[in-house]
Amino acid sequence: MSTRAGPALRPYLPEDAAVTAAIFAASIELLAADDYSEEQREAWASAADDEAKFAARLAGQLTLIATLQGVPVGFASLKVPDHIDMLFVHPDYVGRDVGATLIDALEKLAGARGALILTVDASDNAAEFFAKRGYVAKQRNTVSINGEWLANTTMTKSLADTAAPGASS
């Protein structure tokens, strides 16, 4: 009988800067290849080139690290109480409940902080993941990053469905 333990979660620590930057870059390079050109992926991944700036961005948000057997394999961050800024899983660990564990935790934390609706600007390769978890597409966006235009979709999920019975939305 094979029992594979699921991911564990812990808070982001300053020493996670390098590993989160590496997860971010690998995820974009390999998982977004079908949806974005090489130039678009390079521009997007360049957000982690300045490791200190990338670390400050994560440290300034509620950021969780997912680990398997103590090794960081993914991370997610909540910017303001109701917006998911980032959710990235290392390509080697996709399909091992890392993303699901991270999003479940962010939804619970956002709800506990009073958010009624959670939003995310989902990349084209992540939109299906969010849709399967109850997020609804609201609008298409085009953003410019280092001279490259990338599309994403603003998606929302009502957290009121998981609120206590009788709670108004």
Side-chain angles (χ1 to χ4, degrees):
M1 182 168 109
S2 170
T3 57
R4 191 180 346 184
L9 297 178
R10 65 167 174 78
Y12 173 83
L13 301 170
E15 55 267 27
D16 292 321
V19 72
T20 53
I23 291 168
F24 178 77
S27 178
I28 291 167
E29 181 58 33
L30 297 172
L31 301 178
D34 289 343
D35 297 297
Y36 300 96
S37 71
E38 182 176 347
E39 294 79 14
Q40 289 173 314
R41 294 191 319 274
E42 285 175 6
W44 183 9
S46 73
D49 288 351
D50 182 338
E51 196 174 287
K53 187 176 177 183
F54 189 73
R57 178 177 175 181
L58 293 177
Q61 301 178 15
L62 191 160
T63 303
L64 299 175
I65 303 292
T67 63
L68 286 169
Q69 299 177 330
V71 176
V73 295
F75 69 96
S77 66
L78 192 62
K79 180 180 181 179
V80 297
D82 61 356
H83 184 77
I84 298 166
D85 184 35
M86 290 195 242
L87 192 156
F88 289 89
V89 175
H90 191 283
D92 292 347
Y93 297 93
V94 169
R96 294 187 55 186
D97 290 330
V98 177
T101 300
L102 285 163
I103 194 69
D104 287 347
L106 286 188
E107 288 173 4
K108 286 177 185 155
L109 289 165
R113 291 174 163 210
L116 298 177
I117 295 173
L118 200 53
T119 64
V120 63
D121 293 324
S123 63
D124 290 351
N125 54 297
E128 184 179 346
F129 168 82
F130 285 103
K132 286 180 179 177
R133 304 199 55 80
Y135 288 75
V136 177
K138 294 296 181 184
Q139 73 179 36
R140 287 289 285 165
N141 310 300
T142 307
V143 293
S144 177
I145 303 173
N146 289 342
E148 291 292 326
W149 290 96
L150 287 83
N152 65 32
T153 302
T154 299
M155 302 179 81
T156 63
K157 180 178 182 176
S158 171
L159 299 179
D161 300 338
T162 58
S168 62
S169 52

